[in-house]
C-alpha cells in the first residue's frame, strides 16, 4: 500500500458497536441467480460460493507467501518495482497461473521516475538530517536554500494566525504534522514570507508527504521524522541556520502488470480483482502486499477448477503501486481509451494488506455509512461492499469500515466510474480499545508495526488474518462470477454468440511519475 498522504482510517467505529450491520444489503448471492436468461442465452451456472470459500485455505495462501519470501531473500531482501525481486515475483505468479490453466499477459507501462539528487536538512552546527521532498513540491536550487529557521505559534502552522507576530520573511519554516493538509501548511508559510518549509512527523518514521497538486507553492517543501524534527525545533529556537536541499531529475522507466482471466464466463460482464505485487525497497513486503497477492493467486488457482462460469473473472497483479499507483492507473487509462472496455468491468475488488499482525477486519466503506468519501462513489460500489460484509455477517465475523479514500489501486477505477470495494487489515493507524474488543490484539500500537520496513517479513504476517480474509475473497469471487445483478442489473451467462475475446494490452502506455532515492524509493 502506498504510504499515507492524507489522514485516513480514523478510529471511528460507530457502525460496529452493534457487532453486525442489519442495515446493509445482503450479498449478491442471497438474491439467487438474479433472473432467468433471455432467449438465446445459455443456462445459468451457479457456484456454491460457501463451498468455494472453504477451498481457498490458509495453507494454500501460505505456500505462495513462502515463495515470495524466498524470492525477497534471494534478491537483496526486497521485491520492489524495477528490481530483480519484482521480476522473480512476477515469474512465480505467471508460472503458478499457467500451471492452473490460465493464459497470462504482461501489461507494460512507461513512466517518469523521479531520481533524487539531494534530500537533506543541514544545520549550521554540522548536523545533517534526512528529509523527503514532498510530491508536487518544487526543487531547491543546487546547493539548497540557506536561511534562519522559524517556528509557528501553534506548532502546526496551518493558517496565517499561526504566524502572527513571528518573523518569517526569508526563513525556513519548521512545522509539525497534524490538524490540516500539508499543502495548507506550505501555503500559509510561504504567504508569511518563508523561503522553504519542513514538516516533521508525529511518529518516528520519515514523513513522505504530498501537496496534492502542482503549482501550489514556489518554495521547497520536505518531510522528516519526529525525533529529527524536534531536534531541529530546538536548533531553530537557539538561532541555528538551516540549509534545505531537495532536488530530483526524471528518468523514463518501464514496468508491467500481470493480468489473467478465466476462460469461462461472459466477457461483456467482467468481475475484476487486483492486488499490487511490488513492495518497498526497505523490506520483503510480505504483508504489503505479498498477502493480497498470495490470496488472489490462490483464489485464481482454485477458480480455474470451475469449468463453467456466468461471468469472466479477471485477475491483476499491479506493478509500481509503491511508486504512486502507477501500474493500475496506466491500465485503467488504457482501457478508458478503448471504446467499451471499461463498460465491460462490472466491478473491481482490491486486496492490499490482508495479513497485518495487529489486524482489523476492514472493508472499504463504499456505502459511506461511516466515512464520507473524498470522491464521487460509482453506483454499484455499495452493493459490491455488501457482498463482502454479507459474508462476514453470515459467518459471525466482526468487521469495520475503512475509508474509501483511493489510497490503493482501486483509485483509478472509481475515478473512471467503475464500482469498487475491497478488504484491508490495517497499516499505520493505531489500534484502538474498541478494535481490540472486536479483533483482539494490542491497543496503542499500529495495525502493522512493520509497515514499509525490513520487518515486513513472513514471520510478521498473521495466519489468523489470512484465515479470515482468504475465504471472504473467495466467497465474493464465486458470488460475483455467478451474478452481478445487484451491482449492475446483469444476470445469467449472456448471449454466447457475442464474444469480444479477452482484453489484451497495447504495445505499452505511459502514465505518471514515480520517485527514486539513489537506487529506488517510493513516492507515495
Amino acid at each position: 500500500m502506498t504510504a499515507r498522504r492524507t489522514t485516513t482510517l480514523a478510529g471511528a467505529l460507530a457502525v460496529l458497536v452493534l457487532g453486525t450491520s442489519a442495515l446493509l444489503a445482503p450479498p449478491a448471492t442471497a438474491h439467487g441467480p438474479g433472473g432467468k436468461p433471455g432467449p438465446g442465452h445459455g443456462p445459468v451456472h451457479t457456484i456454491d460460493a460457501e463451498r468455494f470459500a472453504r477451498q481457498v485455505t490458509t495453507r494454500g495462501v501460505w505456500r505462495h507467501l513462502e515463495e515470495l519470501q524466498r524470492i525477497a531473500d534471494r534478491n537483496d531482501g526486497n521485491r520492489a518495482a524495477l528490481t530483480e525481486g519484482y521480476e522473480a515475483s512476477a515469474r512465480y505468479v505467471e508460472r503458478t497461473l499457467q500451471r492452473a490453466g490460465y493464459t497470462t499477459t504482461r501489461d507494460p507501462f512507461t513512466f517518469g521516475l523521479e531520481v533524487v539528487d539531494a534530500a537533506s536538512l543541514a544545520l549550521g552546527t554540522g548536523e545533517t538530517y534526512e528529509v523527503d521532498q514532498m510530491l508536487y513540491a518544487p526543487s531547491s536550487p543546487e546547493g539548497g536554500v540557506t536561511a534562519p529557521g522559524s517556528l509557528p505559534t501553534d506548532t502546526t502552522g496551518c493558517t496565517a494566525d499561526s504566524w502572527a507576530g513571528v518573523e518569517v520573511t526569508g526563513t525556513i519554516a519548521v512545522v509539525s504534522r497534524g490538524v490540516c493538509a500539508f499543502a495548507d501548511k506550505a501555503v500559509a508559510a510561504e504567504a508569511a514570507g518563508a523561503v522553504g518549509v519542513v514538516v516533521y512527523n508525529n511518529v518516528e518514521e520519515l514523513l513522505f508527504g504530498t501537496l496534492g497538486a502542482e503549482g501550489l507553492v514556489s518554495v521547497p517543501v520536505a518531510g522528516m521524522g519526529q525525533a529529527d524534527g524536534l531536534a531541529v525545533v530546538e536548533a531553530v529556537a537557539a538561532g541555528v541556520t538551516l540549509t534545505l536541499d531537495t532536488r530530483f531529475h526524471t528518468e523514463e522507466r518501464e514496468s508491467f502488470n500481470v493480468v489473467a482471466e478465466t476462460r469461462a464466463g461472459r466477457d461483456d460482464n467482467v468481475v475484476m480483482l487486483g492486488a499490487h505485487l511490488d513492495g518497498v525497497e526497505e523490506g520483503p513486503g510480505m504483508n504489503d502486499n505479498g498477502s493480497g497477492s498470495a490470496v488472489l493467486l490462490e483464489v485464481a488457482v482454485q477458480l480455474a477448477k470451475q469449468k463453467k462460469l456466468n461471468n469472466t473473472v479477471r485477475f491483476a497483479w499491479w506493478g509500481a503501486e509503491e511508486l504512486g499507483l502507477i501500474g493500475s492507473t496506466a491500465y485503467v487509462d488504457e482501457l478508458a481509451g478503448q471504446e467499451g472496455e471499461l463498460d465491460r468491468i462490472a466491478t473491481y475488488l482490491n486486496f492490499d494488506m490482508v495479513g497485518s499482525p495487529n489486524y482489523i477486519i476492514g472493508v472499504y466503506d463504499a456505502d459511506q455509512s461511516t466515512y464520507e468519501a473524498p470522491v464521487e462513489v460509482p453506483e454499484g460500489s455499495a452493493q459490491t461492499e455488501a457482498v463482502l460484509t454479507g459474508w462476514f455477517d453470515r459467518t459471525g465475523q466482526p468487521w469495520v469500515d475503512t475509508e474509501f479514500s483511493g489510497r490503493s489501486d482501486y483509485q483509478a477505477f472509481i475515478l473512471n466510474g467503475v464500482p469498487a470495494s475491497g478488504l484491508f487489515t490495517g497499516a499505520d493507524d493505531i489500534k484502538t480499545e474498541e478494535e481490540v474488543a472486536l479483533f483482539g490484539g494490542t491497543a496503542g500500537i499500529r495495525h502493522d508495526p512493520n509497515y514499509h520496513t525490513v520487518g515486513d517479513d513472513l514471520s510478521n504476517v498473521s495466519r489468523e488474518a489470512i484465515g479470515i480474509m482468504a475465504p471472504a475473497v473467495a466467497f465474493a469471487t464465486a458470488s460475483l462470477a455467478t451474478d452481478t445483478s445487484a451491482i449492475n442489473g446483469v444476470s445469467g451467462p449472456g448471449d454466447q454468440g457475442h464474444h469480444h475475446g479477452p482484453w489484451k494490452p497495447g504495445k505499452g502506455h505511459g502514465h505518471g511519475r514515480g520517485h527514486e532515492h539513489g537506487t529506488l524509493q517510493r513516492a507515495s
Side-chain angles (χ1 to χ4, degrees), residues 282-492:
E282 287 85 348
M286 296 312 297
N287 183 37
D288 184 17
N289 183 38
S291 61
S293 293
V295 168
L296 199 64
L297 186 56
E298 185 62 13
V299 169
V301 167
Q302 296 304 322
L303 191 66
K305 300 174 184 178
Q306 301 286 334
K307 302 307 179 185
K308 295 181 179 181
L309 301 171
N310 287 344
N311 303 313
T312 294
V313 179
R314 184 182 299 165
F315 300 92
W317 286 264
W318 304 118
E321 189 269 358
E322 296 291 1
L323 298 179
L325 312 179
I326 293 173
S328 57
T329 303
Y331 174 89
V332 174
D333 284 351
E334 184 178 16
L335 262 61
Q338 300 177 25
E339 185 176 358
E341 284 295 340
L342 280 180
D343 293 337
R344 291 170 60 188
I345 300 177
T347 190
Y348 172 74
L349 290 89
N350 195 69
F351 307 106
D352 187 353
M353 301 181 68
V354 293
S356 306
N358 196 30
Y359 69 86
I360 58 171
I361 300 302
V363 185
Y364 296 160
D365 188 16
D367 66 0
Q368 303 181 82
S369 57
T370 303
Y371 303 104
E372 183 178 355
V375 297
E376 184 177 351
V377 176
E379 186 176 353
S381 298
Q383 290 76 16
T384 303
E385 178 193 3
V387 179
L388 297 163
T389 59
W391 166 255
F392 291 138
D393 289 348
R394 71 169 58 188
T395 58
Q397 172 61 53
W399 54 272
V400 296
D401 282 314
T402 62
E403 188 176 1
F404 202 49
S405 61
R407 189 180 165 189
S408 189
D409 287 302
Y410 63 95
Q411 181 188 81
F413 288 91
I414 61 176
L415 291 178
N416 283 273
V418 178
S421 189
L423 299 177
F424 178 53
T425 53
D428 51 356
D429 276 304
I430 303 299
K431 196 164 197 176
T432 66
E433 294 288 355
E434 293 86 352
E435 290 169 342
V436 170
L438 291 170
F439 310 114
T442 305
I445 65 172
R446 295 187 297 181
H447 297 134
D448 186 354
N450 311 294
Y451 175 59
H452 283 184
T453 72
V454 69
D456 187 12
D457 58 22
L458 189 56
S459 69
N460 288 314
V461 175
S462 169
R463 279 184 175 266
E464 186 174 358
I466 295 290
I468 296 168
M469 289 304 208
V473 176
F475 175 83
T477 304
S479 299
L480 295 170
T482 297
D483 179 19
T484 63
S485 60
I487 295 169
N488 63 355
V490 177
S491 63

Side-chain angles (χ1 to χ4, degrees), residues 124-209:
T125 51
E127 296 90 343
T128 300
Y129 298 101
E130 181 183 9
V131 298
D132 183 78
Q133 183 173 354
M134 287 204 179
L135 197 61
Y136 302 119
S139 291
S140 65
E142 188 167 354
V145 174
T146 299
S150 61
L151 305 171
T153 57
D154 57 4
T155 74
T156 57
C158 288
T159 67
D161 290 343
S162 303
W163 299 102
V166 179
E167 181 52 56
V168 189
T169 301
T171 69
I172 295 172
V174 180
V175 302
S176 171
R177 180 180 186 174
V179 179
C180 65
F182 301 134
D184 294 341
K185 299 173 188 291
V187 168
E190 184 180 31
V195 295
V197 182
V198 176
V199 183
Y200 59 92
N201 213 342
N202 51 13
V203 293
E204 288 308 311
E205 287 76 14
L206 184 65
L207 175 58
F208 300 96

Side-chain angles (χ1 to χ4, degrees), residues 230-263:
L230 293 175
V232 172
V233 167
E234 290 186 8
V236 170
V240 175
T241 299
L242 312 179
T243 299
L244 177 61
D245 194 1
T246 54
R247 292 173 284 117
F248 70 91
H249 70 277
T250 301
E251 297 177 359
E252 186 174 280
R253 300 292 177 88
E254 180 176 302
S255 190
F256 60 91
N257 307 310
V258 177
V259 182
E261 63 181 41
T262 57
R263 297 179 184 274

